[in-house]
Amino acid sequence: MQEEINVINHLLAVEKESAGLIDNAVKEADARTTQARNQANSQFKQKYDEVAAQLQNEFEQTIEVKKSEHSKQLNQFESQLESRPRNYEAFNKVLDDILGA
């Protein structure tokens, strides 16, 4: 009978030790998972910030190019208008016709 009690006590001790090992393994797995998640989030944020900065830079460059093109086209249009001959007589005749003078 004593031998059976010793075997049962030994099995209980082994089970307790196994439970402790499992708890330690779960804690270690959680710690590693948290560390890996934090590292992945950090890398993602770094890459995201790099891409966002690059896109912002490209956007600003595009805006500057478009502003320059717009200014150039506007200046060309103004130059074309200034270089056109003015026919005040025809203009006054149209106004007289419209206003009925």
Side-chain angles (χ1 to χ4, degrees):
M1 178 80 165
Q2 184 62 32
E3 189 176 318
E4 292 170 348
I5 293 174
N6 287 342
V7 168
I8 290 174
N9 284 337
H10 176 70
L11 290 174
L12 290 173
V14 168
E15 185 178 342
K16 185 176 180 180
E17 184 179 344
S18 297
L21 289 173
I22 289 172
D23 286 343
N24 288 341
V26 168
K27 288 177 185 174
E28 180 68 21
D30 288 345
R32 288 182 183 188
T33 301
T34 300
Q35 181 182 10
R37 183 180 298 116
N38 290 341
Q39 184 178 6
N41 286 341
S42 175
Q43 289 175 349
F44 173 81
K45 183 175 178 355
Q46 179 184 2
K47 292 292 183 184
Y48 178 87
D49 289 344
E50 288 174 6
V51 170
Q54 178 184 358
L55 290 174
Q56 181 66 30
N57 187 30
E58 290 174 8
F59 171 75
E60 290 172 359
Q61 288 178 355
T62 301
I63 292 296
E64 289 303 317
V65 167
K66 295 302 178 185
K67 281 182 180 179
S68 176
E69 289 174 0
H70 177 261
S71 179
K72 182 179 175 183
Q73 289 176 353
L74 188 61
N75 288 338
Q76 287 175 347
F77 180 71
E78 288 174 350
S79 295
Q80 287 175 354
L81 286 179
E82 290 295 325
S83 66
R84 292 188 122 180
R86 292 175 179 84
N87 188 343
Y88 293 107
E89 291 176 15
F91 178 72
N92 289 332
K93 184 177 184 308
V94 169
L95 281 180
D96 287 342
D97 291 343
I98 291 173
L99 298 175

